Amino acid sequence: MAGVKVAGIDCGTNSIRLMIATVDDRGMHVEVPRIMRVVRLGQDVDKTHRFDDAALARTYAAIDEFAEVLAEHPVDALRFVATSATRDAENRDEFEDAVFARLGVRPDVIPGSEEAALSFLGATSVMEAGHTADELPQAPYTVIDLGGGSTEMVIGGDGKDAPIDRVTAAFSMNIGSVRMSERHLVSDPPTDEEIRAAVEDIDEHIDEAFSHVPAWHTGTLIGVSGTVTTMSGIALGLKEYDREAVDGARIGFDEACETCDRVLTMTREQRREYPVIHPGRIDVIGGGALVWNRVLRRIGQAVLEREGRVLDSYITSEHGLLDGIVLDLGRRLLG
């Protein structure tokens, strides 16, 4: 079957990404590798509930750059997805009008439930690559997409009662690297009191997520997003960020949590000494590290207490929401 050429834009709280791919009955074939720009669209949105003018200017500059790429690579369809920050912003109409003027499409401001489902689709779509059916990681898969403003927790089927790529439960938590850093971790480095307040906030959201998502059934935990891939890169001891080394890497909880603790308590200047950390994440990666730390510890504890099993590692994935946006759009066009 002939494929369709589509593009997806994932506009999050901290970064914006573009990818162009052909989708056919064999899957997704990337034509233009993802382009990522850190724009901090969600700057102060947690506090003011409005987009900052400087944040909008940074985002528009990235969108203008994407428009040039799209002009060079015409596509059959483009979907622009906006998430947590745009959901929260009272002046989002201005942003939506500006996107339409630049790209000819209006942003789809999707709910957390759809964000979770698309992240799950993107992360699990590549799980079969390089594995036979007998070698596949243990189901059910739980995907954690840790963003700047929200964190999605989504679990799929066990392969028996439901296919492993089917979402069975999902929940979007209003916690993320930017939101937690701006709300709690304002000192450099953060104080013990700030960290305690952030942990309490994060744990309340995880408690609520657990009331919707039975994470104790997790067979394999998959982590996606800039925070997770950055923490994994540091845990692997990389001297600079290497996407191929990080994608698919299995990281132990203990090692990951030690890395998160270390990054959380660093000063910003100390973080700058790590080329693995993107410069645009320096001031908020501590908030993301703390969220990831608590998610790992709480899920590991839940699996042990509820099912008596040990879950002590996760798989890092470079495939998440953006992959899901592109793959879903292509499949819908194909019918």
Side-chain angles (χ1 to χ4, degrees):
M1 180 185 295
V4 291
K5 190 175 179 180
V6 296
I9 294 177
D10 164 17
C11 184
T13 299
N14 198 47
S15 62
I16 184 169
R17 297 173 170 86
L18 165 71
M19 186 167 70
I20 300 173
T22 296
V23 178
D24 58 25
D25 57 359
R26 293 178 292 115
M28 183 172 70
H29 316 280
V30 176
E31 303 282 344
V32 177
R34 70 195 67 218
I35 303 170
M36 187 271 285
R37 298 290 180 262
V38 175
V39 296
R40 192 66 55 79
L41 177 61
Q43 176 184 336
D44 294 329
V45 167
D46 185 62
K47 178 173 59 179
T48 66
H49 303 291
R50 296 182 61 81
F51 286 134
D52 178 83
D53 287 343
L56 286 172
R58 292 191 298 269
T59 306
Y60 296 156
I63 293 171
D64 288 340
E65 180 185 355
F66 291 176
E68 293 179 4
V69 175
L70 287 163
E72 296 173 1
H73 302 272
V75 296
D76 298 310
L78 162 67
R79 188 180 188 195
F80 187 115
V81 167
T83 55
S84 177
T86 311
R87 289 195 291 262
D88 292 351
E90 295 172 351
N91 59 335
R92 80 187 207 189
D93 288 349
E94 172 191 346
F95 173 62
E96 293 175 13
D97 290 344
V99 170
F100 182 78
R102 286 166 166 81
L103 296 175
V105 298
R106 300 193 72 82
D108 287 334
V109 186
I110 62 174
S113 56
E114 184 177 357
E115 184 177 354
L118 289 172
S119 293
F120 186 85
L121 171 63
T124 59
S125 66
V126 297
M127 291 300 288
E128 294 183 2
H131 296 94
T132 66
D134 295 335
E135 296 173 335
L136 279 174
Q138 181 181 347
Y141 301 150
T142 294
V143 172
I144 304 293
D145 183 352
L146 200 170
S150 67
T151 295
E152 282 63 52
M153 180 184 296
V154 51
I155 192 169
D158 59 4
K160 300 173 184 176
D161 296 327
I164 60 175
D165 59 353
R166 178 185 298 170
V167 173
T168 57
F171 188 75
S172 180
M173 302 175 278
N174 278 330
I175 52 176
S177 60
V178 175
R179 196 184 296 269
M180 291 298 97
S181 295
E182 290 184 350
R183 184 181 292 180
H184 298 292
L185 308 177
V186 295
S187 300
D188 184 26
T191 65
D192 291 344
E193 184 177 349
E194 289 171 352
I195 293 172
R196 281 194 295 270
V199 168
E200 183 177 346
D201 193 356
I202 293 165
D203 280 354
E204 286 178 359
H205 283 86
I206 294 174
D207 287 340
E208 186 175 7
F210 280 177
S211 70
H212 298 270
V213 180
W216 47 89
H217 291 329
T218 301
T220 300
L221 184 66
I222 305 169
V224 303
S225 81
T227 290
V228 175
T229 55
T230 299
M231 290 299 101
S232 296
I234 296 173
L236 290 169
L238 300 182
K239 300 303 181 186
E240 59 184 23
Y241 193 77
D242 183 338
R243 188 173 186 272
E244 291 187 2
V246 168
D247 190 31
R250 186 177 285 274
I251 309 293
F253 283 5
D254 289 344
E255 186 177 9
C257 289
E258 186 278 329
T259 300
C260 289
D261 285 338
R262 183 155 42 94
V263 170
L264 170 63
T265 55
M266 287 178 184
T267 65
R268 291 173 185 170
E269 284 306 312
Q270 288 172 327
R271 292 173 189 161
R272 292 185 203 282
E273 297 175 6
Y274 286 75
V276 175
I277 304 176
H278 188 287
R281 302 188 192 280
I282 292 292
D283 59 336
V284 297
I285 194 67
L290 187 55
V291 172
W292 188 228
N293 188 326
R294 294 307 302 163
V295 167
L296 292 179
R297 292 186 185 279
R298 293 291 307 277
I299 290 181
Q301 180 183 22
V303 171
L304 182 61
E305 292 180 350
R306 298 290 292 265
E307 296 202 341
R309 294 184 292 112
V310 174
L311 180 70
D312 58 4
S313 67
Y314 68 90
I315 294 176
T316 312
S317 179
E318 282 278 0
H319 307 274
L321 178 58
L322 183 57
D323 297 73
I325 293 167
V326 171
L327 187 56
D328 175 71
L329 176 59
R331 285 177 174 177
R332 286 191 284 117
L333 286 182
L334 289 171

